[in-house]
Amino acid sequence: MLGRPRRLVLLAEGAFTPLDAKTAVGVLRYRAADVAAVLDSTRAGRTAAACVGVGGAVSVVATLDAAAAAGGDSLLIGVAPQGGALPPAWRALVRDALARGWDVLSGLHVFLADDPELAAAAAAGGARIVDVRRPPAERTVGAGRASRAGAVVALTVGSDCNVGKMTASLEIVAALRAAGVRAAFVATGQTGIFIAGSGAVVDAIPSDFVAGAVENLVLEAARDAEVVVVEGQGSIHHPGYSGVTLGLMHGAAPEALILCHREGHERIRAGAAGDPVWPVPPLAELIRDNEAAAAWVRPAPVVGVALNTYGLAEPAARAACERAARETGRPATDPVRFGAAALAAALKERIQVVAPGPTRAPGARGTA
Amino acid sequence: MLGRPRRLVLLAEGAFTPLDAKTAVGVLRYRAADVAAVLDSTRAGRTAAACVGVGGAVSVVATLDAAAAAGGDSLLIGVAPQGGALPPAWRALVRDALARGWDVLSGLHVFLADDPELAAAAAAGGARIVDVRRPPAERTVGAGRASRAGAVVALTVGSDCNVGKMTASLEIVAALRAAGVRAAFVATGQTGIFIAGSGAVVDAIPSDFVAGAVENLVLEAARDAEVVVVEGQGSIHHPGYSGVTLGLMHGAAPEALILCHREGHERIRAGAAGDPVWPVPPLAELIRDNEAAAAWVRPAPVVGVALNTYGLAEPAARAACERAARETGRPATDPVRFGAAALAAALKERIQVVAPGPTRAPGARGTA
């Protein structure tokens, strides 16, 4: 989807902070070697690590010229602004990058390729605009085909959006590979796609094709993998996103779930002041409900808990993981701070127990 | 959405049968008074009733001229063809209708207004193309706001697609009105929209805005209604559509569910030969799972069963309803054959027991 190897320049103008530049931070955490520079004129001269804690010595620059001097050849929109549109201040930067012949990679809700001015700049510069939120042209209605993927399929599920599902998935894949397992990551959101180079932004797909799109991604990833870890989205308990979550879940037809939660997170991020408040259910309820939902297509136990302890001191973080393990009877870890080995082990174990053939999981509803 | 009162001509060329022309049949069942003619040159001269069992003496005609002579002033695409595109044979008919100044109402997957030839014909004829599958411009992320709609909100859920959710919803609304209740119907599919005149085709909406779109429709409908009945889509057990179903469910935030099932239907309609087979769960399981899913946002009991007994002889149909009632402990009826009074009564009852205020349903998760 993203094409050739690139030297990325991450556009984060005026917003290169851990909270505002989630996409840039994700790319820096997992693909720093491909990043030439970060563009934020308000922070020029610093390093990425000094601004957001990851990305090491990658430098923050003020202009496209400086980014080009650092070796950049592609511009990646590193921020997801409120409303999903291109902030007016960035338009000139995007246009100038295209005019230089740089491809522009965007996860914005508005498609940059549909903007006449930017499309003309791309044509003139011989550059490509890649809108990763654009739904795949192929429109498949899901039929639970991934239940026969021939690999162990695991899905990260969560107590809410933004609790660490993508990060947990990537850390688990890295830990599986470190343990000698052929593991693949399936990206379902823009940042995951920028990191993996392929995938589909499922929340932008017309709802009747979400499961089918995920099914196709999983079947493709399973060709070369013993374990496929699918990045989950949202939460079945989120009043706005639960449909995305369930479509993704049934499309992936996983046989194992990893529950992701941010320690201390108590209210689901939905609505505004005056709207109803949706508490995050206790871990035991999250496990029960996600296992129930998965089983409507294919039974899948929660085999571990990935706890995001960002902001906690280390002793408190360790205590939180121990508490989660006790409370759930599952291995629990913060995969970023303490590694994902325990979660990877729980999945690696399943490679042996799974028999080949059309009805792989005991009790699966799908039979030939 | 559909604008002014119309004299509809239903396009069902070569396909005016109960199975192929679902949309035309739905419109004839509930809006026959607005239908001037049906266009199917292969069945011209017959009545609608003779071809599809509903629509009475509405005549089937061979040409637009004949349809115009019958008083037609708008063309409604009455068939959902495989693939969702406009069959080439119909293009000339649509173009000619537009050239006459007739609006064209379409629920096809391809948007007719985006077709340059048809758009030009519409402009020349001063006609409008209404693509009801086009997602609403307003993009709301759901936040469970419909849980405070101030009306009794009921949702039809089902064992599969195409088991009678729209019909049950419409019959229940009619029965409620007959019982003196101010009842509103919320359409979530193309046929429902053609019948109701408004709504949203939820399966065509990008998945992160499905719940929000339904929430807006329910809040709007609740302004003037004591009971709002929302047309469900798909099934939480359908491996391809479950995400649509759950997004719709949590957007509607109902306090009561009506379970719809087609008697004798055993396998979910998903996939093709060689794909996994997904059995329809027993009624008790359907009830348990749908109640569980609803409760993630707002508890909602299944208060009745709508059984589609199409094709059964009457004694067998009555026996099936009695069996369903015994099996589930809920009132069960075929709303088309035996009326929806029992289901309407179960909802009417709730008008009294519901207290006003922000936390209307006992045990609801959303609190101010």
Side-chain angles (χ1 to χ4, degrees), chain B:
Chain B
M1 183 169 204
L2 302 190
R4 62 176 171 77
R6 296 174 184 283
R7 299 292 300 156
L8 298 167
V9 176
L10 309 183
L11 174 57
E13 181 60 28
F16 191 45
T17 71
L19 281 180
D20 292 334
K22 262 185 64 184
T23 298
V25 170
V27 173
L28 284 165
R29 186 187 299 280
Y30 293 104
R31 288 188 63 182
D34 301 324
V35 178
V38 176
L39 192 58
D40 178 357
S41 64
T42 68
R43 291 175 179 82
R46 302 189 211 170
T47 64
C51 294
V52 299
V54 294
V58 166
S59 40
V60 183
V61 300
T63 63
L64 284 181
D65 281 338
D73 65 14
S74 301
L75 187 69
L76 187 154
I77 313 286
V79 185
Q82 279 289 339
L86 184 70
W90 299 2
R91 171 172 288 274
L93 285 168
V94 170
R95 197 184 46 215
D96 293 355
L98 292 167
R100 285 166 192 259
W102 291 14
D103 293 350
V104 172
L105 316 179
S106 169
L108 296 175
H109 281 263
V110 295
F111 297 142
L112 299 186
D114 294 347
D115 180 302
E117 185 192 7
L118 300 179
R128 224 177 116 215
I129 297 173
V130 182
D131 288 303
V132 297
R133 295 188 71 83
R134 199 184 291 276
E138 194 185 350
R139 301 197 155 190
T140 306
V141 172
R145 297 178 193 94
S147 62
R148 299 180 182 167
V152 174
V153 179
L155 171 70
T156 46
V157 295
S159 57
D160 198 353
C161 310
N162 210 21
V163 296
K165 288 182 287 288
M166 181 196 77
T167 302
S169 304
L170 287 162
E171 296 293 342
I172 291 168
V173 166
L176 282 165
R177 289 178 181 161
V181 175
R182 281 182 297 121
F185 167 71
V186 169
T188 61
Q190 60 159 318
T191 305
I193 290 172
F194 288 139
I195 293 167
S198 64
V201 179
V202 295
D203 64 16
I205 298 177
S207 61
D208 52 355
F209 302 119
V210 166
V214 174
E215 185 173 290
N216 288 339
L217 291 173
V218 167
L219 291 171
E220 171 74 25
R223 284 196 207 153
D224 281 329
E226 296 163 287
V227 178
V228 175
V229 181
V230 183
E231 176 192 6
Q233 293 291 336
S235 166
I236 56 169
H237 295 89
H238 190 293
Y241 295 128
S242 57
V244 182
T245 309
L246 191 68
L248 196 173
M249 180 186 276
H250 286 172
E255 66 171 65
L257 306 173
I258 304 287
L259 177 65
C260 303
H261 174 58
R262 196 167 74 241
E263 178 62 18
H265 183 54
E266 290 175 355
R267 289 178 172 199
I268 287 177
R269 294 152 52 107
D275 283 333
V277 166
W278 306 97
V280 170
L283 294 181
E285 242 175 78
L286 290 168
I287 289 174
R288 178 197 68 193
D289 294 347
N290 276 285
E291 290 183 345
W296 299 337
V297 162
R298 186 186 191 196
V302 170
V303 299
V305 178
L307 207 62
N308 176 347
T309 64
Y310 184 81
L312 289 190
E314 181 160 332
R318 289 208 183 272
C321 292
E322 282 160 21
R323 203 164 47 238
R326 247 189 343 263
E327 208 178 310
T328 63
R330 270 87 169 172
T333 181
D334 182 328
V336 171
R337 291 176 95 153
F338 308 128
L343 306 175
L347 296 179
K348 186 179 177 182
E349 230 166 58
R350 303 184 71 87
I351 301 175
Q352 277 78 34
V353 300
V354 172
T359 54
R360 295 174 49 255
R365 285 175 61 231
T367 54

